[in-house]
C-alpha cells in the first residue's frame, strides 16, 4: 500500500507532466484547448515513468538493467518509443471517440517524431530529479534545494544506528565482491521500512546504516522503534530468499538515541547535510553496547521516556553505563519483540 508522501509525489508528477503538455500545446497549437495537450502528455509520459519505477513490466525492466550499456540504451529507446506511442494512441482514440478533438484517426493516434522527442525530454527531467532525490534522500534533497541548512541550525533529532553482524567473516569466506552485494541487498531492504515510518537514511558507513528523524516525527507513534522491528521482521519473513542468495540470513544490531544536534550544509564541490554533536556520538557508542551486553536492540532511557512503545515490544532496563568521551552515564534499555505463546494441543480423550 502506498504511503501518503508517495501518493502526493505521484500527484505532483502528474500535474508537472500535464503542465508540460499544456506548454507544448501553447507553443505549437495555440488555438487548441489546453486539456488536449495535458491529456496527451499524461498518457504518453506516465507509462514511461511507471515503467522506470517498475510498476509495470517489472521483469522487462530488471532484464534491461542487467544488459551492457550499449544494449541497455538500444533496448531503452525501443521500449520508450513503444510505451509513448501506445499512450499517445490511447489518448487520441479516447478523445476522438468522445468528440473532444477533430482530425483523422491517423493524425490523432500515430506518434510524430517531435512529440516523441518532447515526451522523452520531459520524462528524462522527471526521472533525473527523482534519481537525485533518491540518491540524496527526501529530506536532504529538499534541504539542499531550499538552503535550509546553509547556516548551522540547532535542532532535535532521533538517530538509529543499525549494523550487520559478521560482515568481516562473510567477506573472508565469500570475497569482497559478494560481501558488497550482500550489503547492497541488505541496505535495499532497509529502504521501504524507513520510508514507511517517515525516516531518512543519512549515510552508510562500512556495514552500518545511519537513519534519522526530526525528534517530533521520530517519536510520534514510536516510528523509530517500529522501523527497527519492521526491518527485522521483513528480513525474517524473507529468510529463505536470503539463504538461497547468500547462504545466511542477516543478523543485525541496532541502537536508538535522540537529542540536540547541530545540522549544517557542508562542502564546496560536494555538498552534504551533516550532523554534529554529542547525540550522534552517543548513538554510535550505544550501538557498540549491543555486543558487550549481548542484546540486539538498545534504546537510551532518555529517548524511551519520550515515546510509548508499540504493542508487542517489551523493554528490559539494563541500568546506567559509562560512555567513552561522555562525562555522564547513559541509561540503557533493551527492546524485545514479545513472542506469542504457542498453545499446546489439547487431547480430545478425557
Amino acid at each position: 500500500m502506498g504511503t501518503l508522501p508517495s501518493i502526493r509525489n505521484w500527484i505532483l508528477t502528474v500535474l508537472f507532466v500535464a503542465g508540460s503538455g499544456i506548454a507544448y500545446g501553447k507553443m505549437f497549437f495555440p488555438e487548441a484547448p489546453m486539456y488536449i495537450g495535458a491529456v496527451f502528455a499524461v498518457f504518453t509520459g506516465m507509462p514511461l515513468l511507471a515503467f522506470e519505477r517498475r510498476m509495470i513490466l517489472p521483469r522487462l525492466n530488471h532484464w534491461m538493467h542487467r544488459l551492457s550499456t550499449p544494449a541497455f540504451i538500444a533496448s531503452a529507446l525501443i521500449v520508450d518509443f513503444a510505451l509513448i506511442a501506445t499512450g499517445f494512441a490511447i489518448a487520441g482514440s479516447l478523445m476522438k471517440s468522445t468528440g473532444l478533438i477533430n482530425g483523422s484517426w491517423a493524425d490523432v493516434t500515430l506518434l510524430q517524431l517531435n512529440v516523441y522527442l518532447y515526451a522523452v525530454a520531459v520524462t528524462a527531467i522527471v526521472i533525473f530529479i527523482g534519481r537525485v532525490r533518491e540518491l540524496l534522500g527526501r529530506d536532504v534533497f529538499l534541504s539542499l534545494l531550499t538552503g535550509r541548512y546553509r547556516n548551522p541550525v540547532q535542532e532535535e533529532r532521533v538517530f538509529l544506528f543499525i549494523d550487520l553482524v559478521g560482515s568481516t567473516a562473510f567477506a573472508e569466506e565469500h570475497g569482497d565482491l559478494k560481501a558488497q552485494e550482500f550489503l547492497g541487498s541488505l541496505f535495499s531492504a532497509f529502504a521501504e521500512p524507513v520510508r514507511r515510518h517517515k525516516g531518512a537514511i543519512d549515510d552508510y558507513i562500512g556495514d552500518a546504516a545511519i537513519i534519522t528523524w526530526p525528534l517530533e516525527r521520530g517519536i510520534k507513534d514510536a516510528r523509530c522503534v517500529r522501523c527497527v522491528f519492521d526491518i527485522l521482521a521483513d528480513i525474517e519473513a524473507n529468510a529463505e530468499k536470503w539463504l538461497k542468495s547468500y547462504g545466511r540470513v542477516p543478523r543485525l544490531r541496532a541502537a536508538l538515541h535522540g537529542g540536540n544536534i547541530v545540522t549544517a550544509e557542508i562542502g564546496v564541490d560536494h555538498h552534504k547535510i551533516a550532523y554534529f554533536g554529542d547525540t550522534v556520538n552517543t548513538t554510535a557508542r550505544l550501538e557498540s553496547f549491543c555486543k558487550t551486553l549481548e542484546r540486539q536492540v538498545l534504546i537510551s532511557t532518555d529517548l524511551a521516556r519520550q515515546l510509548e512503545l508499540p504493542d508487542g515490544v517489551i523493554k528490559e532496563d539494563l541500568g546506567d553505563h559509562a560512555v567513552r568521551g561522555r562525562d555522564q552515564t547513559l541509561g540503557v534499555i533493551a527492546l524485545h519483540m514479545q513472542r506469542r505463546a504457542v498453545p499446546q494441543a489439547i487431547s480430545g480423550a478425557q
Side-chain angles (χ1 to χ4, degrees):
M1 180 180 296
T3 60
L4 183 59
S6 64
I7 294 174
R8 183 176 63 243
N9 291 338
W10 276 107
I11 291 174
L12 292 174
T13 301
V14 170
L15 292 175
F16 177 80
V17 171
S20 71
I22 294 173
Y24 181 88
K26 286 297 181 183
M27 285 188 293
F28 298 103
F29 305 98
E31 302 300 326
M34 289 191 300
Y35 64 80
I36 294 178
V39 171
F40 271 117
V42 169
F43 273 81
T44 56
M46 295 311 296
L48 197 58
L49 295 174
F51 176 74
E52 173 68 19
R53 302 295 297 180
R54 299 188 179 182
M55 299 176 68
I56 59 174
L57 305 174
R59 291 184 179 179
L60 176 60
N61 188 298
H62 181 72
W63 173 79
M64 286 171 53
H65 279 81
R66 297 177 64 182
L67 298 173
S68 63
T69 299
F72 172 78
I73 293 173
S75 62
L77 289 173
I78 295 171
V79 172
D80 290 355
F81 182 83
L83 290 172
I84 292 172
T86 300
F88 187 88
I90 292 173
S93 298
L94 289 174
M95 289 192 289
K96 173 73 172 175
S97 299
T98 54
L100 294 176
I101 56 175
N102 299 316
S104 67
W105 281 97
D107 290 338
V108 300
T109 58
L110 296 181
L111 182 65
Q112 298 176 5
L113 179 61
N114 59 338
V115 176
Y116 167 69
L117 295 176
Y118 187 80
V120 168
V122 171
T123 51
I125 292 171
V126 175
I127 291 170
F128 174 76
I129 294 173
R131 286 292 176 86
V132 172
R133 181 177 176 274
E134 288 178 355
L135 180 65
L136 297 176
R138 180 189 65 240
D139 290 348
V140 173
F141 176 72
L142 292 175
S143 297
L144 288 174
L145 200 63
T146 59
R148 177 182 178 186
Y149 297 117
R150 190 62 57 84
N151 296 315
V153 174
Q154 279 195 322
E155 59 182 1
E156 292 184 303
R157 297 191 75 89
V158 175
F159 288 91
L160 163 62
F161 279 50
I162 188 162
D163 177 49
L164 174 65
V165 179
S167 59
T168 302
F170 184 90
E172 291 174 350
E173 181 180 352
H174 299 279
D176 291 338
L177 290 177
K178 191 66 175 179
Q180 187 57 48
E181 181 184 338
F182 186 35
L183 279 174
S185 298
L186 179 63
F187 292 152
S188 295
F190 292 174
E192 178 52 34
V194 171
R195 186 163 45 238
R196 189 186 312 148
H197 295 290
K198 303 183 184 299
I201 298 177
D202 172 60
D203 206 353
Y204 303 105
I205 302 176
D207 56 5
I210 302 175
I211 301 163
T212 184
W213 294 259
L215 181 67
E216 185 176 350
R217 188 198 302 171
I219 64 176
K220 183 178 180 181
D221 299 325
R223 284 178 177 139
C224 56
V225 175
R226 293 180 188 273
C227 181
V228 176
F229 286 99
D230 276 5
I231 288 173
L232 297 176
D234 286 356
I235 289 175
E236 184 178 349
N238 292 284
E240 290 186 8
K241 292 182 179 178
W242 288 105
L243 286 171
K244 183 178 179 180
S245 299
Y246 301 103
R248 68 180 60 187
V249 180
R251 292 185 298 118
L252 303 175
R253 291 189 292 247
L256 284 158
H257 180 53
N260 291 312
I261 52 98
V262 173
T263 307
E265 180 181 334
I266 61 173
V268 178
D269 294 330
H270 173 69
H271 288 257
K272 175 179 170 55
I273 303 297
Y275 304 105
F276 303 92
D278 177 68
T279 297
V280 181
N281 299 329
T282 300
T283 310
R285 302 285 184 266
L286 182 61
E287 192 275 326
S288 68
F289 286 165
C290 290
K291 184 176 182 179
T292 57
L293 297 176
E294 299 182 342
R295 300 294 190 275
Q296 186 174 29
V297 180
L298 298 179
I299 185 173
S300 66
T301 302
D302 292 340
L303 180 59
R305 288 185 183 133
Q306 300 181 66
L307 52 81
E308 183 177 347
L309 292 176
D311 293 338
V313 176
I314 57 177
K315 61 182 180 180
E316 174 191 4
D317 195 334
L318 301 178
D320 294 338
H321 294 262
V323 178
R324 182 165 53 90
R326 194 172 189 259
D327 295 335
Q328 297 179 334
T329 58
L330 180 69
V332 179
I333 292 173
L335 300 179
H336 307 276
M337 180 60 71
Q338 189 173 22
R339 300 291 181 181
R340 294 181 180 179
V342 179
Q344 297 181 348
I346 301 176
S347 174
Q350 299 292 333

